[in-house]
Amino acid sequence: MYIAQVYKVLHDWWRYIIGTILVITGVFIFSIPHVVAIVMKGDADFSRLSDIDYLMSLFEPNLNFVFLLLPFLGGLIALFFAIRLLHGQTITSLTTARPKIDWKRIWFAFFFWGIVSVGLAFIDILGNPEDYKWNFDIKSFAILAVIAIVLVPIQTSCEEYLFRGYLMQGIGVLVKNKWVPLLITSAVFGLLHISNPEVDKLGPIIMIYYIGTGLFLGIITLMDDGLELAIGFHAANNLFTALLVTADWTAFQTHSIYKDLSDPSVMGFTEIIIPVFVIFPILILIFAKKYKWNNWYERLLGKVEKPLEDNYKVLD
């Protein structure tokens, strides 16, 4: 019912086009402070602004982090505005097919993946100490922690609500099945990361990870009839990454506890493949066991049909 419930609100295809344009506009507007800061700096070389390394060198890392995340706040505000204005839809029905948002699911996914990801990171740090530098500065880290705790969940929620929520529902109603929106949103989600510095350092193979992550998040959304697990997982993944380990060649370059010094050009095929083809399937099985998922074919590949009740008025 997660996609099918959109039949109860205004769901014309053109509304989703306008809504997406509004989100892009919101992102652009909230990017203006970064542009203004660059202009006011005075000595910036505008011909080099497409160079991520140069762009990140213009300001202190915590300020860079704010500039990086702020546009997602604009996107999320614009998206919530669009669903109310264009669709008459509530945030709850964009989030889940349940009567109300299940915060226990969000917190379970957040803490579960947070503990697992931090554990895996420390195993690697202990096993390869030469690849890591202790980078902890209490003042800089405290400021980072406040920024990250406030803005990272906004960034990840914006992506989840847009891709696994708004576009998943809109495309699903348009094509009247579930597998097409699953594949399209996963591919677009992955491809939008193509400008990340990791792609330049690791090569196109990293797109397997980005698209695979989108596919994983889409699967748990469709199987669970809601975004809660995806929201919790994504927030934990990005938050603990920003706080624990970053590198000079990643999108997040922060005052993290550790700095990764390893050469990205020698990262093995397994570092990219294992999360997508081993860790993510295991997580899906764990979630499936906990939440008693069944009818996998219908939930992932089935048709999207109008609910039986003849009630298509705008939701209150």
Side-chain angles (χ1 to χ4, degrees):
M1 290 299 296
Y2 177 65
I3 294 178
Q5 66 182 341
V6 180
Y7 279 112
K8 298 180 181 179
V9 301
L10 301 172
H11 56 274
D12 310 272
W13 64 269
W14 57 267
R15 296 178 188 273
Y16 288 93
I17 299 295
I18 296 176
T20 302
I21 293 173
L22 286 175
V23 172
I24 295 172
T25 302
V27 169
F28 174 78
I29 291 173
F30 277 66
S31 298
I32 292 176
H34 193 189
V35 176
V36 171
I38 293 173
V39 172
M40 291 181 64
K41 192 173 179 62
D43 58 351
D45 183 352
F46 287 87
S47 66
R48 297 183 59 193
L49 292 184
S50 59
D51 181 347
I52 298 298
D53 292 334
Y54 175 72
L55 190 62
M56 297 300 288
S57 71
L58 292 178
F59 301 101
E60 189 272 338
N62 278 334
L63 186 55
N64 274 329
F65 200 46
V66 172
F67 286 144
L68 177 68
L69 299 179
L70 196 57
F72 293 95
L73 174 59
L76 190 60
I77 292 172
L79 179 58
F80 287 164
F81 178 77
I83 66 166
R84 291 299 296 173
L85 178 67
L86 290 170
H87 303 276
Q89 186 176 10
T90 63
I91 295 176
T92 298
S93 68
L94 182 65
T95 308
T96 184
R98 285 169 274 275
K100 60 183 180 178
I101 297 172
D102 189 341
W103 287 94
K104 289 183 179 179
R105 275 173 154 83
I106 294 175
W107 289 117
F108 172 77
F110 178 85
F111 285 114
F112 180 77
W113 182 241
I115 292 170
V116 171
S117 61
V118 169
L120 292 174
F122 273 114
I123 289 173
D124 194 54
I125 292 170
L126 294 174
N128 304 282
E130 70 280 0
D131 289 340
Y132 295 91
K133 170 189 174 183
W134 179 256
N135 191 55
F136 183 72
D137 176 80
I138 187 166
K139 181 179 179 180
S140 298
F141 180 81
I143 296 172
L144 167 65
V146 173
I147 295 169
I149 290 171
V150 172
L151 291 181
V152 168
I154 290 174
Q155 176 244 326
T156 55
S157 294
C158 177
E159 293 184 352
E160 291 311 308
Y161 275 112
L162 178 59
F163 291 100
R164 260 64 64 179
Y166 190 66
L167 295 179
M168 180 84 80
Q169 290 182 337
I171 297 171
V173 169
L174 178 65
V175 301
K176 295 181 172 52
N177 64 52
K178 300 171 184 177
W179 64 269
V180 169
L182 174 61
L183 294 181
I184 290 178
T185 56
S186 300
V188 174
F189 173 78
L191 291 173
L192 284 181
H193 290 78
I194 201 167
S195 61
N196 281 20
E198 294 94 331
V199 178
D200 181 56
K201 298 296 183 182
L202 300 175
I205 191 174
I206 190 65
M207 298 308 298
I208 295 175
Y209 173 77
Y210 288 131
I211 295 174
T213 300
L215 191 62
F216 161 71
L217 293 168
I219 289 172
I220 64 176
T221 295
L222 290 177
M223 288 302 304
D224 200 49
D225 249 356
L227 289 175
E228 291 98 334
L229 295 178
I231 288 173
F233 172 91
H234 202 164
N237 187 72
N238 287 22
L239 178 61
F240 289 109
T241 295
L243 295 177
L244 185 58
V245 182
T246 57
D248 292 335
W249 46 269
T250 60
F252 283 0
Q253 298 179 28
T254 67
H255 290 294
S256 53
I257 296 174
Y258 286 95
K259 185 75 71 173
D260 186 348
L261 303 177
S262 62
D263 183 358
S265 65
V266 299
M267 280 187 68
F269 187 69
T270 55
E271 280 84 353
I272 296 171
I273 297 301
I274 285 179
V276 175
F277 294 100
V278 178
I279 296 177
F280 289 167
I282 290 174
L283 289 176
I284 289 173
L285 292 176
I286 291 172
F287 289 147
K289 179 71 174 178
K290 178 174 177 58
Y291 296 109
K292 299 179 174 57
W293 293 345
N294 52 32
N295 201 9
W296 290 68
Y297 180 88
E298 176 59 31
R299 287 176 181 265
L300 297 179
L301 304 175
K303 296 180 180 180
V304 174
E305 300 176 334
K306 290 184 180 180
L308 293 178
E309 63 271 19
D310 185 21
N311 179 20
Y312 304 121
K313 66 181 180 180
V314 176
L315 291 178
D316 295 327

